[in-house]
Each structure stands twice: as structure tokens, then as C-alpha cells.
Amino acid sequence: MSDGHDRKQGGAPVGFAKGLTNYGDREFSVYLRRTFASSMGYSREMLERPIVGIAHSASGFNNCHRHFPEMIDAVKRGVLAAGGLPIEFPTISLGETFLAPTSLKFRNLMSMDVEEMTRAQPMDSVVLLGGCDKTVPAQLMGAASADIPAVQLVAGPMSTSRHRGERLGACTDCRRFWARFRAGDIDAHEIDTVERRLASTAGTCAVMGTASTMAIIAETLGMMPANSAACPAVDADRLRIAEETGRVAFNLVARPIRPSEIITAASVENALRVLLAIGGSTNAVIHLTAIAGRLGVKVDLHRLNQLSDTTPVLVNLKPTGEHYMEDLYAAGGVPAILRELKPLLHLDCRTVTGETLGERLHEVSWVDHEVVRPCSEPVRGTGGLVALFGNLAPRGAILKRSAADPALFEKEGRAVVFESLEDLANRIDSDELDVNADDFLVLQNAGPTSSSAMPEAGYLPIPAKLARAGVKDMVRMSDARMSGTAYGTIVLHITPDAASGGPLGLVRNGDRIRLSVALRSLELLVPDEELQQRRAARPAQADGAALATRGYAKLYQREILQADEGCDFQFLK
Ligand code: FES
């Protein structure tokens, strides 16, 4: 296997002999690389081992990943014990609340970093260590494009804390307490206390937000070892999972299974089923579309509706239910969900450990049905998400019906329009705002092609005067996204977006809009002729933003695709 200089496996170089810098003399390239690798203190035995890269997104600007040093140690333990050489390397990190204008803008940049650095550096397989909302999708997109054997490992969810006897977990409870503060129900001192208790451990948001949803999707796709998505960040099991992940990654060197063999049309459909069954985040539709799109697999929103009609919501977690991610792990984790959904899944899909998805389910012996309901007693009979279509959303929009008020599902309302996020911030709490609880709040120019780059602003606040009067929910719609931890009757991802000339940008104050969840429709009740006139009168750059002249912003503006294409870049597909 080894010639002492140029270790090979199946004829191909491995470890430090792989992917050499080209000086026109291969032996010299090996010699030079080993010289510099030796300066890091590696023995000859280590230098000849296959390399498992550990691409991680630890950063001082990412609270969710603050325990990564000990997780990286555990991965290394697993790799070393199996016979490999683990080498960690940092990539871009995307801490959800630390990025402006929004983390989504940089997801594709991180995916390029992961793709290029796993391809350019000498590694035989890679562990992708991420967790916060955009990091897992970015890592899976990058790994799918690089298509080298890869295993996902996630941070794991935060544990809950307590406030006045109540369990607290970021970030559904963040929103609940903030809404109470806005309504004058709690004072500044109490909100200050709550602020320090909402996120009190390492790990990702404690509910079924985007991070948890994407971790579960990664496990369902088969890109992680079984039962590794839901384990809390601070649980000792999390470190054992990290160690096991290192071993799995090493095993992929001798028996490579590439992302393109795991992320297939069938496994993507499984992921959609599970997304619907967990009442998962709307953001996951965008991310899964982007991940699958890298391998030529299309996520069709009409198919999403078909699956939604035949997939029950089984998981009783916030923001749509009662429990937290730590409860899901105690209840049996993702294998418990998969076992309950078994008749609806493609069980022959391959996973990163070499087993099929179906084989993973043999070991599930117990499920806490209070948290993961059986199909015979679901939380609700149909899936958590639906896609809406109509003249207001020709290429679709998403509503998380499991987090919405069914009393608002079949409704016609008067549009109260905000032309931008600034306009929203300036007027939403004004006592002069002409609004009542039956109106539809419409936010424009917050989609992927807008200057705000599709922030999680779709959870429009209830206008202060209505909140004070006790209004808890009303129909809200936009081309923006919504945090997976939020809830309400909120139509999102309206496509095409307003800034690219989509019909959402043509809505005016006082227009009538009809929402029908039963018909999956979203219609602007304005005659076509009138809409044509409004379209003709629109400025070319609909959101008034200046065109970027250089750098990543320019690349983003030139290449960004709409939500139904995963907000990926055209040139990365
Ligand atoms: Fe990182 Fe919620 S802020 S997962």
C-alpha cells in the first residue's frame, strides 16, 4: 500500500500525497509537503495515514458553536483510534444573530469555502461540524458539490432553563416574552431577566427551529450516523457521537460513499416527509432545495403539497407544540420519528454508515408517544407546510399551517402595505396606522434580490395598538423568510420577489387579497389591466437599492436565484 513516499489506496494517492501542489516534479512535491507537515511535529507513521479533514465553523461570533473545541477533540479521538490522521480546519462561520443584513446572504459564500477547501486540501474524507441555521446547509451544499466522502456532525440543541417556574428555550420563548413586553404585560426589569435566561448553554436553538430542522434533515438524508441530530450539546452522548462520527469518516476512506450516492431524489423526498412530520422550519424548504439542486435533484412545491396531504405531524415540539429538542432526544430522537413514518419512507436509501435507512430502524425499541406521536394519533392529520400559488405568487409561497391559526385559513382581507423594512419599522407601531385585525399586513422588497437579502422579517409584528387590544395573530405576507422558531398565520417566500419585479410589488394599500389554504391559493383581487398599468409605472430597481459595484455584494446581486431555486447562485448549480 505504501512506497514510503507516496502512500496509495486502490492506486490513488491518499493523505498528504493527495492533491499535490504542482511544481512539475511529483516526488519533489511529496517531499516538500512532508517537510512542511513535519514541522507540525507529526511522526512518519502519522504522515502516512489517510487524512480525515474536520471542517468546522467555530467562531467568537457564533454562540451556538462555543463547545466545538471539545467536540473536535472527540472527533479526532475517533479518527486516530480507527487509524487515520484527523486535521481540523476552520471555514466561514455564520452566527445567526451576528450578521447583517442577514445570514442567508452569506450561506452560499460559506458553501463555496467548504467546497473549495475540502477539494483543494489533501483529505480523504471530511467531517462537517456545524449547527447554527445556515452552517449545516452551507456545509451540505459544499460537500455535495465537492462530492468527496463526508459526514455531517451538528452542535446539538441547547438545554432549557427556568424563569419563575417556567421552562425557557431559545427562541420561541424569546418571541413569546417579547410579544408580552410589547403588549405591556411584563415590565423592562422582567424582560431583562428573561434575556439572560433564554439561551444559557452551548448549542443551537432549543426548539424545532431551522437549526434543529436541518440537523434532522441531515440525519434523514443519511449524511449523519443514526440518532445523532437531537442529542443536546452538553450531553456526554454528544461527545460519543462526535467520536463515532470520526470513526465513520475514517471508514469512508476504504469504502467511499459519496454525497451524490446519498442525496438522491428518494432521500430528498424522505427529508421532505420528515420536514412535514416534524412541523419543521419553512427555511428548510429553501435549504433542502439548494442542497438537492447541487446534485440536480429538484424540489417541486406541487409535490410538497401532495406529500403534505399524506403526511401527519407527529412531533409535539415548540413552536407548534409543547416540548423542546432535549425531550425529542429522550423520546427516541430521529429514529423514533422515522419508525413512526416507516410506511411513507423510501427505506432502501443508503446512508453514510453503509446501512440503509430501513436497517437503521431495526434498533428502535422504545418511543415516548407524548413527544413523537404514532400515525394513529398525530398532532395533526396533515403536514406542517403548504405551498400556495396564484397571481400573487406565480412560482409559489409557503405557509406553515401547523404554526398558524386555522380560523384565518379561508379569508379575504384589505392590504396594509409596507414598501420596505424601514417603512415597516417607521409605521407599524404608529397610532395613525389605518389597520384592523381583519386586514392583511403586506411587506414588500424583503426577498432574495432585495438589498436586505431575504431576512427573517416575515414574522411582521402585530401593530402595537392591535397588540394592546389583545390581537395575537393576523394574516401577514411577504417575500421574506421567517425564523423556524416563530409562529403565526404568515405567508412567506412569495416568488418571484417584489424587487425582481414580482406581483407582490404591485400591491397597494386597500387592495383586496384572498387566501385559501384549502385551495392552496393566494390571489390579488385586482383586474389584470390595472396590474399591467402598475407594472409599467414601476422603477427598474424596484426596492430603490443602489447596485453593488464590487466584491461579494456584486456577485450576490448578479447570481442570486429565487426561493423556489433555493436562493443558490446560478453559477453554483
Ligand atoms: Fe444558532 Fe438559533 S442562533 S441555532
Side-chain angles (χ1 to χ4, degrees), residues 136 154 210-220 224 228-230 325 334:
V136 169
V154 293
T210 304
S212 302
T213 305
M214 290 312 302
I216 291 171
I217 281 180
E219 185 174 332
T220 305
M224 286 161 62
S228 57
M325 280 299 286
V334 175

Side-chain angles (χ1 to χ4, degrees), residues 441-487:
L441 302 182
V442 177
L443 172 64
Q444 300 169 325
N445 296 312
T449 70
S450 73
S451 55
S452 55
M454 208 179 187
E456 292 185 336
Y459 177 74
L460 274 66
I462 302 291
K465 65 181 181 182
L466 297 182
R468 283 195 299 270
V471 175
K472 296 271 187 286
D473 194 8
M474 55 194 296
V475 177
R476 289 159 271 178
M477 58 187 66
S478 72
D479 45 11
R481 295 176 300 117
M482 173 173 87
S483 164
T485 61
Y487 45 88

Side-chain angles (χ1 to χ4, degrees), residues 377-414:
E377 288 173 64
V379 175
R380 46 174 300 142
T382 51
L385 306 176
V386 285
L388 306 171
F389 298 90
N391 71 344
L392 192 49
R395 284 163 57 184
I398 294 288
L399 173 79
K400 187 173 181 177
R401 62 176 160 182
S402 58
D405 180 356
L408 301 176
F409 283 4
E410 309 302 320
K411 192 170 168 62
E412 187 182 312
R414 181 184 68 139

Side-chain angles (χ1 to χ4, degrees), residues 112 175 232 262 289 295 385 388 401 421 452 481 520 540 563:
M112 290 163 67
R175 296 171 200 288
I262 295 172
T289 301
L295 292 166
L385 306 176
L388 306 171
R401 62 176 160 182
L421 289 162
S452 55
R481 295 176 300 117
R520 311 281 189 266

Side-chain angles (χ1 to χ4, degrees), residues 150-165:
V151 192
Q152 183 76 58
L153 174 63
V154 293
M158 288 182 216
S159 301
T160 54
S161 69
R162 296 283 190 284
H163 172 67
R164 297 189 176 177

